Amino acid sequence: MLKNSFFSFEVEPLLPVIEDGDDNNGGTVDDRDIWGEVTLARKPITSIPFDAEGLADHFGIPSLPELVSRFLYEQAHPNLDIPLVDVPINQCPPPVGKIRIYPSAVATFYAPSNISGIGGMFCEQIWAVSSWRSGPARYDCIFIEQDTNAEGFRGLHAARVQLFMELMHERRKYPCALVTWFSVIADEPCPEMGMWIVKPDSARNGDCITDPHQHYLM
């Protein structure tokens, strides 16, 4: 399982937030107080279940309760020395707390360029919704840092966000995201396009990996 190394979430945004439903999907940020962070949208999605079992049925993700339990275990054991999937599920906290689903999050990060702010900061809104502006679904892809010493895409993982969530456990809130992973198909970028090509993680028989291994809560 890939290492959880995305930006930290904050429940109350510390930087200017793009409101839900706004057409503006990003822009420059002049402040330079942080290197990077992700903040959830201000308002959760309503009229859907607030428990793990109900959300699993609603979104068609049967493994969601198990994923939530393992995620909570990982938060309580940050120095885990075995793969998270090898932890017996009966040792993980039961997913009994309230879960809120959010339509988007804002990623703010240091990326000096001509289009960034004065301090080199930029922000983008990431969406994970079943219908975008009364049309088809929109589940944005993201880059997740894995190796700060590697150059360019070699130091990143690619994933697609399925859900933005906020878990309540023992009076504490845990903002997080459910993602599916992509892997590169070669050791170098495509010689014709100059870009890396990725594909969804697959099982040995070539089929896309199904629950619980296709999804990962981070």
Side-chain angles (χ1 to χ4, degrees), residues 11 49 71 75 79 81 108 113 117 119 123 131 139-140 142 148 151 161 164 177 196 208 210 212:
V11 178
F71 172 82
Q75 298 304 298
N79 298 318
D81 56 2
T108 305
S113 67
C123 71
S131 178
Y139 297 100
D140 289 343
I142 58 176
T148 57
E151 182 178 352
V161 180
F164 284 114
W196 291 88
C208 287
T210 56

Side-chain angles (χ1 to χ4, degrees), residues 74-186:
E74 184 180 40
Q75 298 304 298
H77 302 81
N79 298 318
L80 192 64
D81 56 2
I82 63 172
L84 185 59
V85 294
D86 292 340
V87 176
I89 190 61
N90 59 4
Q91 295 183 15
C92 301
V96 296
K98 180 179 290 187
I99 301 176
R100 297 185 183 275
I101 304 298
Y102 290 80
S104 66
V106 176
T108 305
F109 47 91
Y110 180 62
S113 67
N114 292 335
I115 63 173
S116 297
I118 296 174
M121 301 297 291
F122 195 79
C123 71
E124 291 188 7
Q125 191 163 17
I126 308 165
W127 291 90
V129 288
S130 58
S131 178
W132 165 248
R133 299 186 64 82
S134 302
R138 175 174 174 177
Y139 297 100
D140 289 343
C141 291
I142 58 176
F143 291 146
I144 302 170
E145 186 178 75
Q146 63 146 336
D147 185 352
T148 57
N149 296 318
E151 182 178 352
F153 189 73
R154 298 180 188 276
L156 302 173
H157 287 310
R160 174 173 289 167
V161 180
Q162 302 298 316
L163 294 173
F164 284 114
M165 312 166 67
E166 181 187 77
L167 314 178
M168 178 65 73
H169 179 67
E170 296 182 346
R171 299 184 179 182
R172 182 178 177 182
K173 296 178 180 179
Y174 293 89
C176 56
L178 182 71
V179 304
T180 53
W181 296 108
F182 289 79
S183 297
V184 296
I185 64 173

Side-chain angles (χ1 to χ4, degrees), residues 10 12 17 24 39 42 60 70 72 109 111 139-141 213:
E10 294 290 343
E12 293 298 329
V17 170
N24 184 1
T39 57
R42 294 187 184 276
R70 294 190 182 280
L72 294 174
F109 47 91
Y139 297 100
D140 289 343
C141 291
H213 305 292

Side-chain angles (χ1 to χ4, degrees), residues 153-154 184-198:
F153 189 73
R154 298 180 188 276
V184 296
I185 64 173
D187 295 330
E188 300 288 341
C190 173
E192 296 181 359
M193 297 184 295
M195 301 178 66
W196 291 88
I197 300 176
V198 299

Side-chain angles (χ1 to χ4, degrees), residues 14-35:
L14 301 178
L15 294 174
V17 170
I18 305 166
E19 292 293 342
D20 303 340
D22 202 328
D23 286 334
N24 184 1
N25 282 325
T28 61
V29 176
D30 291 334
D31 295 336
R32 175 69 189 283
D33 297 329
I34 56 171
W35 285 98

